[in-house]
Amino acid sequence: SNVKSIGNYGFCECTSISSFKIPSIIRYIGDFAFQRCNGIDSHLRLKYIESIGKHAFDGCQTLDELEISSKSCIIYILNSHL
């Protein structure tokens, strides 16, 4: 897949998703992209992430841990609440 970003509000409040894994190729996650999306796996591994927008994972009750690889080059993380 050529998709390297998840835009603002991309999966915001998608309560019908029961299981969701973010592909390791994703580089950018937009603002509120997964807000209140409870289908995200409890352990999220982001291998090449460069930026995470504000409140990207706010209210994700199933997400317990966010692992960012040492291969990542984080440009910024804005108020992403875990």
Side-chain angles (χ1 to χ4, degrees), residues 11-82:
F11 293 93
C12 182
E13 298 188 29
C14 286
T15 56
S16 61
I17 297 173
S18 60
S19 181
F20 189 84
K21 291 185 181 188
I22 298 174
S24 63
I25 196 166
I26 294 295
R27 301 275 196 275
Y28 309 98
I29 297 176
D31 299 345
F32 306 97
F34 294 99
Q35 184 182 38
R36 288 178 251 164
C37 182
N38 289 324
I40 292 180
D41 289 351
S42 62
H43 180 91
L44 186 57
R45 201 172 285 160
L46 301 174
K47 193 168 185 176
Y48 300 108
I49 196 74
E50 294 179 17
S51 71
I52 298 174
K54 64 182 175 185
H55 302 287
F57 299 101
D58 191 26
C60 292
Q61 296 175 353
T62 56
L63 180 60
D64 294 324
E65 185 176 353
L66 177 61
E67 180 181 335
I68 298 173
S69 171
S70 61
K71 295 178 182 181
S72 290
C73 178
I74 296 291
I75 295 171
Y76 68 86
I77 298 176
L78 293 175
N79 297 330
S80 288
H81 296 226
L82 292 178

